[in-house]
Amino acid sequence: MRIASSCFVALVCCGLVRSARADDGMWPFDMVPKAQIKKDHGVDLTDAWLDHVRLSSVRISAGGSGSFVSSTGLVLTNHHVASDCIAKVSSSGHNYMDEGYLAGKDGAEVSCPDIELDQLQAMEDISDKVHGARAAGMSDADANVAVKGAMTKQEQECQDRTHLRCEAVTLYAGGKYMLYEYKRYTDVRLVFAPEATLAFFGGDPDNFTYPRFDIDMALFRVYEAGKPLAPAHFLKWSEQGPKENDTVFVSGHPGSTGRLQTKAQLERSRDTIYPFVTDNLKQEAALLHTYGKQSHEDDREARESIFGVENSIKALTGYQGGLKDPALMKQKADDEAALVKAIKADAKLSASYGATFDDVAKVQTKVGAIYKQFSVLERGGDSSILQLAKTLVRLPDELAQPNEKRLREYRDSALDSLKLELFSGAAVYGGVEVVLVRAWMENAARVLVGKPILEKILHGKTPAVAAQELVASTRLFDVYTRRQLFAGGKPAIDASTDPAIVLMRALDQDARAVRKDYEDTVEAPMRALGEKVAQATFAVRGPSMPPDATFTLRLSTGVAKGYKENGKDVPWATDFAGMYAHATGKDPFKLPQKILDAKPRLTPTTKVNFVSTDDIIGGNSGSPVIAVDGSIVGLIFDGNISSLPNRFVYREVTERAVSVDTAAMTEALSKVYGADTIVKELTGH
């Protein structure tokens, strides 16, 4: 049954969505509640202002956000977003994570091997075209396939027509579908990065905390046709940063939230998914730390993986803390109970949606039986070698099918990005790969115990031995080998004796089967039910919330202000004086020598970090913080620990976004690193 209604789509598309408070939400740019923002903040956002901010913002394929900040293509983002590039252009002789990097002093503006930047050009509603793929009488499983095929078709037609990167975006759990058109940039070069010890000062102990004292920044430059890009839109640089109680906006790409999920979905995340993922990450982190302690070079090679794993663990722990909070879960339960009561009180709504929430709960009971196998066999682990092997094994079979019938990650509109990763010349470190393959195999041994497929993975060996042998024998570290396998197509893949290829080839049928089982059992019914939940919510309450985050461009509104915690006032901003006081001289509270030497030159009261009530989540890292006049005044790099449960319910009592102040970035560039040319490019003087 087709469950989207023209009424729902019209409400969303005609801009009738309103929030009780404009600050509660990460709003797509075509849905920004301008009237509510004016009411709450006295700020009149124009379409020209929104267009300028949108076209100044970029999505970074490493998993974060950024913005154009100069007329010659400089892009500002976080060090921890840029670290994927920084680590890959480093070597045993030049460790730019430790040393920092300044083009002109340390070398040329160096190309990042496999980073893409996406600039959102246009948005088009394709809801009717996608919903129309669900024919009367279709099963949920068949409808799920048809909907994804329609999304792929719309993407390809758009790409053929515009020559842009086109993505079909699911909003409101399928209540609305949008086509986003992106300008894609792949010639991205590193211009500046401070030492990691300054960017991530305080290390994991300070991560997701506040007060903070981090200069978590980096600068790329985008090139086009071999020359620096001259973007038509970029954010004017503020040398002073914001003032306390200023209204500030964040334009970025939040990854995902679960505010529109039902209580049953949140309970499944709490009881099954988050514990499973967190436990696996902790075991992976322990192996990585053991490896990194062997030598300084091993530590360099493992550092990026360690940061990613530890950051994920801390984030998941925060999310889990929210779902274990009786007050938060009671709020969700009471909210859902009131909605169900209103639905059942209306005969028409009850006929359409009376069983919806119970049906969601029934589907969620099936997740536990399949999720772990799906995670192990289809999602796989963090090993680059195994992911490369899986891609090579699947590509010939997928490319032999019509575009609309392929797995979504192999559709034509995604192939350029897939090939960028597949043929990246970035170093893949053997020692780290042994750890990551072993971690995946150990997870497989726990989940697949007693199942015949485990023999295909381990062949009777321990995960430690099997991982060591596979990594020692594979040739997939060599990009030319990967190119030859790709060019040879299915005959080359079928004939390959490379152990990574052999393993992924042996697992492919089982992995595809568990994926189909998951899609038919969980994804397909939840696509239909999620759409009904949105329908029911809007029917009772009107469209009062933005859609959950989807790593697409959003605007959030907030105020730069502190908060009270445990009876104590937490200041809205920190300064250089506080940074030096926070330093102990021992890791992770050891400042780099350059900033120690620069202490007499720095103004102690210059703001370093500040907090605001802007609504953010993972993926917003690197987002610009923007003043009412459209200038950039800060750089999002974190949220405090209490903000993590905002993934499910937005609150702003103690919950805050944490940013680097442009005043600190300006002063550090000039007085610590002598990057006066960059400062002039940013400020115009």
Side-chain angles (χ1 to χ4, degrees):
M1 180 178 69
R2 183 178 170 189
I3 49 183
S5 74
S6 58
C7 176
F8 171 77
V9 175
L11 280 171
V12 177
C13 297
C14 293
L16 298 180
V17 177
R18 291 294 179 265
S19 172
R21 295 184 63 259
D23 294 12
D24 178 2
M26 307 165 186
W27 294 93
F29 268 62
D30 60 331
M31 296 168 59
V32 172
K34 293 183 285 186
Q36 191 67 46
I37 290 172
K38 185 173 183 178
K39 178 181 177 181
D40 292 346
H41 296 275
V43 178
D44 192 3
L45 296 185
T46 65
D47 290 340
W49 189 96
L50 290 169
D51 287 344
H52 174 66
V53 169
R54 170 175 56 82
L55 291 166
S56 297
S57 305
V58 294
R59 181 176 64 180
I60 300 177
S61 61
S65 303
S67 58
F68 287 113
V69 289
S70 84
S71 62
T72 49
L74 279 182
V75 170
L76 177 69
T77 189
N78 290 147
H79 185 282
H80 76 263
V81 174
S83 62
D84 179 74
C85 170
I86 300 167
K88 287 174 179 175
V89 300
S90 295
S91 65
S92 57
H94 292 286
N95 185 350
Y96 299 124
M97 294 289 284
D98 283 349
E99 302 164 11
Y101 188 85
L102 176 59
K105 178 182 177 183
D106 298 314
E109 295 182 354
V110 59
S111 294
C112 297
D114 47 22
I115 282 185
E116 298 174 283
L117 269 56
D118 292 326
Q119 179 192 46
L120 182 58
Q121 302 288 306
M123 297 162 281
E124 176 189 351
D125 192 328
I126 56 170
S127 299
D128 286 343
K129 295 174 182 176
V130 176
H131 289 142
R134 184 177 184 130
M138 269 189 178
S139 67
D140 285 339
D142 288 342
N144 190 40
V145 172
V147 164
K148 289 192 285 189
M151 293 167 69
T152 297
K153 179 180 179 182
Q154 291 301 312
E155 289 170 335
Q156 193 58 48
E157 289 179 355
C158 169
Q159 190 158 305
D160 291 342
R161 181 179 70 254
T162 66
H163 304 291
L164 297 172
R165 175 180 191 153
C166 298
E167 291 183 6
V169 178
T170 303
L171 302 178
Y172 295 110
K176 180 180 181 182
Y177 291 91
M178 294 292 293
L179 193 63
Y180 280 24
E181 301 172 13
Y182 294 98
K183 174 69 175 177
R184 178 173 175 259
Y185 299 102
T186 57
D187 190 349
V188 181
R189 308 185 192 185
L190 181 65
V191 176
F192 169 76
E195 303 89 337
T197 47
L198 179 60
F200 197 43
F201 179 52
D204 190 59
D206 272 8
N207 197 18
F208 294 111
T209 70
Y210 187 78
R212 293 287 290 278
F213 307 90
D214 294 14
I215 311 294
D216 191 352
M217 69 170 294
L219 288 164
F220 292 136
R221 193 184 308 279
V222 173
Y223 281 70
E224 194 170 45
K227 297 179 180 179
L229 181 72
H233 294 269
F234 62 92
L235 300 176
K236 181 181 177 182
W237 189 268
S238 168
E239 297 179 60
Q240 304 304 319
K243 299 187 295 295
E244 188 174 11
N245 296 318
D246 277 357
T247 295
V248 288
F249 303 90
V250 172
S251 175
H253 300 80
S256 66
T257 50
R259 295 176 189 172
L260 299 180
Q261 290 185 351
T262 69
K263 179 173 173 285
Q265 287 175 283
L266 298 183
E267 289 172 341
R268 182 56 54 194
S269 293
R270 180 193 67 195
D271 299 337
T272 301
I273 297 174
Y274 287 168
F276 174 72
V277 176
T278 302
D279 286 347
N280 290 333
L281 288 172
K282 286 181 178 179
Q283 293 178 31
E284 186 173 308
L287 292 172
L288 285 166
H289 275 293
T290 299
Y291 174 77
K293 290 176 181 177
Q294 295 179 147
S295 71
H296 182 73
E297 177 62 11
D298 292 337
D299 175 72
R300 181 188 74 81
E301 293 178 358
R303 186 181 303 177
E304 182 71 2
S305 294
I306 290 172
F307 171 80
V309 170
E310 289 187 336
N311 192 62
S312 296
I313 291 170
K314 206 154 191 179
L316 287 166
T317 301
Y319 301 153
Q320 186 77 324
L323 295 181
K324 288 183 176 181
D325 178 0
L328 185 150
M329 291 303 286
K330 184 177 185 302
Q331 180 180 344
K332 295 292 290 188
D334 290 348
D335 182 69
E336 188 169 304
L339 178 59
V340 171
K341 182 178 180 181
I343 290 169
K344 292 186 175 180
D346 183 297
K348 186 176 180 180
L349 292 179
S350 183
S352 298
Y353 310 116
T356 297
F357 289 86
D358 288 339
D359 289 343
V360 170
K362 290 175 184 176
V363 173
Q364 292 304 305
T365 63
K366 302 174 183 178
V367 173
I370 189 173
Y371 176 78
K372 294 179 182 180
Q373 289 188 55
F374 170 71
S375 179
V376 168
L377 291 175
E378 179 59 18
R379 288 188 171 175
D382 293 328
S383 162
S384 295
I385 289 298
L386 293 186
Q387 291 298 332
L388 291 167
K390 177 181 173 182
T391 298
L392 286 165
V393 166
R394 286 194 170 172
L395 264 170
D397 290 332
E398 292 302 314
L399 294 182
Q401 298 188 64
N403 189 31
E404 294 163 37
K405 298 293 185 182
R406 299 176 196 165
L407 298 175
R408 286 276 292 159
E409 60 268 32
Y410 297 96
R411 64 198 189 276
D412 283 344
S413 60
L415 287 182
D416 285 343
S417 296
L418 185 148
K419 291 177 183 178
L420 188 67
E421 294 183 9
L422 185 61
F423 303 136
S424 170
V428 181
Y429 300 113
V432 175
E433 282 297 302
V434 170
V435 170
L436 297 178
V437 173
R438 175 182 172 180
W440 172 74
M441 288 180 169
E442 289 182 348
N443 187 23
R446 290 187 293 271
V447 171
L448 304 174
V449 61
K451 296 184 180 297
I453 193 173
L454 187 59
E455 177 62 20
K456 298 179 182 179
I457 297 173
L458 297 177
H459 300 288
K461 302 168 185 173
T462 66
V465 171
Q468 180 68 48
E469 290 182 355
L470 184 148
V471 174
S473 301
T474 184
R475 296 183 59 202
L476 296 190
F477 290 96
D478 179 13
V479 66
Y480 298 105
T481 296
R482 302 197 296 268
R483 287 188 179 277
Q484 287 177 338
L485 285 167
F486 173 79
K490 189 168 179 59
I493 294 297
D494 289 346
S496 175
T497 58
D498 187 286
I501 296 291
V502 170
L503 175 59
M504 290 297 106
R505 202 169 57 210
L507 299 184
D508 190 51
Q509 184 176 350
D510 294 280
R512 286 177 181 270
V514 76
R515 175 171 175 157
K516 187 177 189 306
D517 191 13
Y518 183 84
E519 289 178 346
D520 291 352
T521 305
V522 178
E523 181 184 278
M526 283 309 304
R527 184 183 293 276
L529 289 167
E531 195 174 330
K532 293 185 76 170
V533 168
Q535 279 280 82
T537 303
F538 279 49
V540 172
R541 297 171 176 169
S544 59
M545 292 181 68
D548 274 319
T550 53
F551 198 40
T552 51
L553 188 62
R554 305 292 178 92
L555 187 76
S556 63
T557 309
V559 176
K561 66 177 183 179
Y563 54 98
K564 189 179 290 289
E565 190 170 44
N566 299 324
K568 297 182 179 179
D569 289 326
V570 179
W572 79 283
T574 62
D575 55 26
F576 278 123
M579 171 190 281
Y580 288 111
H582 198 56
T584 66
K586 296 182 179 180
D587 290 331
F589 301 100
K590 182 179 181 180
L591 288 167
Q593 192 61 44
K594 285 180 183 177
I595 199 163
L596 291 174
D597 293 342
K599 184 176 181 180
R601 301 190 295 275
L602 294 173
T603 304
T605 56
T606 296
K607 301 186 304 298
V608 174
N609 296 154
F610 67 89
V611 289
S612 66
T613 62
D614 292 276
D615 194 2
I616 66 162
I617 199 75
N620 271 119
S621 290
S623 298
V625 182
I626 302 167
V628 171
D629 67 0
S631 63
I632 181 170
V633 295
L635 177 66
I636 292 288
F637 74 96
D638 207 356
N640 63 1
I641 195 72
S642 61
S643 73
L644 290 173
N646 277 9
R647 180 181 182 88
F648 313 109
V649 177
Y650 175 80
R651 298 178 291 192
E652 59 170 61
V653 181
T654 60
E655 296 80 1
R656 292 294 185 270
V658 188
S659 300
V660 191
D661 198 295
T662 50
M665 290 187 273
T666 305
E667 196 159 344
L669 283 166
S670 176
K671 297 180 180 180
V672 178
Y673 298 100
D676 294 328
T677 301
I678 292 177
V679 172
K680 183 176 181 181
E681 185 175 354
L682 292 170
T683 65
H685 60 83

